[in-house]
Structures are given as structure tokens and as C-alpha cells.
Amino acid sequence: MALFELTLVLLLIAVALTALSRRLEVPYPSLLALAGVGLAFVPGAPVIEIDPELALALFIAPVLLDAAYDTSLRDLKRYRLSLVLLALGAVVFTTVVVAFVGWKMAGLPIAAAIALGAIVAPPDAVAASAVLSQFKVPHRITAILQGESLLNDATALLIYRISVSAAVGTLMLKDAVPVILLATIGSVVAGYLFGRVSLLTLTRIEDAASSTVVQFAGTFAVWIIADRLGLSAIITIVVYAITIARTAPRRMSARRRVSTYSVWESAVFVLNVLAFVLMGLQARSIVGRLSGDGQGGAFLFAATVLVVVMVARLVWVAGYVAVIRWFARSGGEDRKQDAPTFRGAVLVGWCGMRGLVTLVVAIALPANFPGRDPIVLAAFAVVLGTLVLQGISLKPLLRWLNFERDMTIDREVAEARVAIMQAALDVLNRKTSAAAAVVREQYEAQRRVAENPDDAQAATEYDRLRLYAIKRQRDTLEELRSNGTIGDEAYHRLEEEIDWSELAASPAGSFQPLTTY
């Protein structure tokens, strides 16, 4: 019971800090991790140990699936060069640099030093995206950061698995090629097959609650099976999610889709906030494992690794941007315009906050792993240091870089809205009944609003009357429940129908129900 009560308290604290982070315009994981560290050192605070295998499946699998589900294949293809250079190149470069520092400074064996480099190499885009969305930075940057966060964990964990196996003597580095091929090709095939099987199952379930439960259970099952087969669970989940995302929406009813999306959004938010608070709570146990004369040296090593990780990413990003811009000079005006900018390089380089994956895989090291304690401390220092230093300074950096507000997504939404309204009108033009005329008038009104989203006069008398009537519907519905004519189940069902009617009468989200007419 105590654990349940503590979880509730942590969740409420996390929600409050998340609201505060929005007001301060700083990444909420930064505040959550700091709060976790503060709570960890409060006298009498419980020590919460996270089972690494459980943490990866519980926190990473659904969050990763949610991100992959919303990922644009168009953007992955369009920015594939930058994504490869970050998700593969930056991870390998950071791993090599950190491994060299670990080998020279801490005297770690080569395999253990490489494992440390792989642990701290992959950034997490969750922290950065919370702030970037508020500033409307260029779409290219947000797309690259989101795509990188999907793929870099797979690269880092593959290097991690091989180096850990080599360090404990179960695998020779020269025999790593078959493992790499299995983890990449096998994971892609498995993810696609799991996705097709999941589609067959989901399309046969009509109940929204059952469908959502099956989706969550399927996500955890895919992760566990891929891990047991020796595949890359991350690559498998990403391919699995993308496979579903391309087909499932057309095969699901609107009600089931709305319900599922709402539950996933809430669940992913809860998992994120709990993950970063629990991550901070690991501070006391991590520091407690280090004692004696070597403690000072371990802290110095951890601080050095933090600095090296931050500088290595900045150097790598600036270097590849300089090379791309150099090649673009001889490629004509189109290639020059598409080339990344140095302002963008600074932002991408600074958005290198590490997250839960780094801490969890460090804690997952075997107990007899060489140099385990200083490695775990360094990983924690990198996570907390990047979340605090880079996360909190991200807002001032964005103000200094002064990007123009990017309206790419807003423009695409506006153009698509006009197109789908026109498509509805085209098909209705063949209908001549009185009912068709009424429906056609509704779509024409919505198209006019879509074409002029900033024009208040674009709203028609029809929309205003509907919103006025909806206000009266809500009042009547409240009266029916208050006097006992209907129960809560009927009330909520009708309430949902009125909600959708109000949204339909406010196409661009510009109008509110009128209290008078």
C-alpha cells in the first residue's frame, strides 16, 4: 500500500511540475529529474530501485511506439542524410570519444569503455520537443530531432550489447557482424510481421476499451518477444508502429479511434512524468554505492564525461553541417537553400539531453562488470547534467537564435482542410435532394472558413445559429440529469455527441458557444 500511495504522490508532484514548466517555458523532464533528486536526499525518503528490464519495457516501449506512430515517412526520407549522420554517425563518434576518455582517465578495459560510450551517446528528444513546439522553430529541425530520437537508441543499444558481451567474455568483438545483421535485418522483418498480425487482430475488435487494452498488451509483447529472440527491441517497435500507422486509421471506426488516441496520449504523458521523477530518485542509491578514497575521482570522471558528451555532439553537428554546406555551394541554388544553417546546427547540437534509456541501460550492467560504479555515476551525471544545463538554457538560446516562426504544418493543415471540403462538395454536387442542399450548404460554409481562417466574417449565420442552439442543448441536458430524468451514462453519451457537434460548427477552432443571440 505504501508504494501505491507514494506513486500517487509522485504523480501529483510530477503533474504540478509539468504545469510549472509550461509557465517557465523549460522542458518538464528537467524539473522532474531535479525534483526526483531532491526527494531522494530527503531524510527518511524511500529508496526505489528500478528493475532495468521492467523499466525498458514499461517506460520505453509505449513512448517509443507513440512517437513512431506519429512519425512522417515523408520527413524520414527527405532528411535521411541528416538522420543517418546523427542517429549513426553522432552516436558512433560520441561512443568513440567517451570510450577514449574512459580508457585513459578511468583505466577502463576497452570493451567496458565502449559500453560507457554507448550508454551516454543517444539523446532523447522528449525534453527538447516540449520547448521547441512553443517557439515554432523550422520544421526541418524538429523533424530531424524526432527522427533521430527514434533511431539513435537502436544504434547505441546494439553497440552496448556487443561491448557488454565482449567485456564479460561471452562474445568476441570480431564475431559481432552476425549479431549486427540479426539485430538490424531481423528486427525490421519481425516488426513488419508483428504489425501485420496486429492489424488483423485490431480490425476484428469493435469495443474501444478492448481495442486499447490489446494495443498496449501487443506493444509490450512485441518488445519482450524481440528482446528474447536477440533482436533490437527498439528497431522492432519502430517498424511495428510505422506499419500499423499506415493502415490502421482507415480500418478503425471514428469513435474507437478518438477513444484510443485519448487514452494513449494520457498514458504516455503519465509514463513520461513518472519515468523522469523515478530517474531522479535513483541518485541516492547511485551515490551510496561509491565510498572511500575513490569517490572524488569518480565524481571528477563523471563531470569530465558530461563535458565530453556535450562538446562531442556540438563538434559533430557543426562538422557535418559545414561539409554539407561546402558541397551545396557547387550544387545550384536549390541545394544551397536546402542546406542546413549554422544556427540550426547550434540548436540541434544543444538539443542533446539524455534521458531514461541512458540511465536504465547503465543500471542494467552486470554486478561484476568492470568499472560498473563509476560508469553508472557517469551515466547519471550525463542525464541530470544535460537535462538541467541544456534543458533550462534552451529557451534563452532560442531567443538568441531568433528563428522565424515556422508555419509549415499550419499551412499544410489549412491547404488540406480546403481540399477535403472541396472533395465533399464535389461528391454532393451530384445529389439534388433537399437534404443534400442543406448538407452542401454546411460544407460550403466550412470551406469558406478554411480558406479564410483569420477572417471573422467567414463564419456564416448557419454556424452562429448552431453554436447558439448547442448552448441551449447543453443547458437542457444538465436539467435532465439534475431532475433525474436521465442517468449519467445517457448524459455522457449525449454530451459527447454535443461536443462533436460543437467542434463541427467551429471548423477552425475560432468560435465559442454563444450565450446570447
Side-chain angles (χ1 to χ4, degrees), residues 260-273:
T260 299
Y261 288 176
S262 298
V263 172
W264 269 95
E265 183 178 2
S266 300
V268 168
F269 171 75
V270 170
L271 289 173
N272 265 318
V273 296

Side-chain angles (χ1 to χ4, degrees), residues 446-495:
Q446 293 173 10
R447 186 191 62 180
R448 285 195 294 272
V449 174
E451 290 174 335
N452 305 279
D454 299 323
D455 184 4
Q457 299 301 318
T460 64
E461 185 74 4
Y462 168 81
D463 290 324
R464 296 183 185 279
L465 281 170
R466 282 191 68 186
L467 291 172
Y468 178 65
I470 286 170
K471 172 63 170 62
R472 181 55 187 156
Q473 284 181 308
R474 290 193 185 280
D475 293 340
T476 302
L477 186 61
E478 290 292 338
E479 293 172 5
L480 291 172
R481 185 172 67 161
S482 298
N483 61 28
T485 303
I486 62 173
D488 278 16
E489 183 175 350
Y491 171 85
H492 289 302
R493 183 172 299 182
L494 291 169
E495 180 187 45

Side-chain angles (χ1 to χ4, degrees), residues 313-486:
R313 180 173 175 85
L314 287 169
V315 169
W316 177 265
V317 174
Y320 91 71
V321 167
V323 171
I324 292 177
R325 289 181 64 84
W326 184 79
F327 278 109
R329 290 174 188 165
S330 58
E333 288 300 321
D334 291 340
R335 291 188 62 179
K336 289 181 182 179
Q337 291 179 357
D338 291 339
T341 64
F342 282 110
R343 281 195 305 168
V346 171
L347 180 57
V348 171
W350 198 247
C351 289
M353 287 76 84
R354 270 56 174 180
L356 189 69
V357 171
T358 292
L359 185 64
V360 169
V361 295
I363 296 174
L365 287 170
N368 61 345
F369 194 81
R372 185 184 189 279
D373 286 343
I375 289 176
V376 173
L377 180 65
F380 185 80
V382 168
V383 171
L384 186 62
T386 54
L387 282 176
V388 174
L389 296 176
Q390 293 181 317
I392 294 179
S393 62
L394 190 55
K395 176 184 173 182
L397 176 65
L398 284 166
R399 295 196 185 282
W400 177 69
L401 293 174
N402 193 29
F403 289 104
E404 294 183 5
R405 288 179 64 84
D406 188 288
M407 306 302 291
T408 300
I409 301 299
D410 297 323
R411 185 171 59 253
E412 290 180 356
V413 168
E415 292 173 353
R417 183 179 288 123
V418 173
I420 61 177
M421 296 301 174
Q422 187 59 53
L425 286 170
D426 290 342
V427 75
L428 287 171
N429 283 335
R430 296 192 291 268
K431 305 295 183 180
T432 58
S433 66
V438 174
V439 175
R440 190 159 49 243
E441 180 184 349
Q442 296 175 16
Y443 277 110
E444 286 173 348
Q446 293 173 10
R447 186 191 62 180
R448 285 195 294 272
V449 174
E451 290 174 335
N452 305 279
D454 299 323
D455 184 4
Q457 299 301 318
T460 64
E461 185 74 4
Y462 168 81
D463 290 324
R464 296 183 185 279
L465 281 170
R466 282 191 68 186
L467 291 172
Y468 178 65
I470 286 170
K471 172 63 170 62
R472 181 55 187 156
Q473 284 181 308
R474 290 193 185 280
D475 293 340
T476 302
L477 186 61
E478 290 292 338
E479 293 172 5
L480 291 172
R481 185 172 67 161
S482 298
N483 61 28
T485 303
I486 62 173

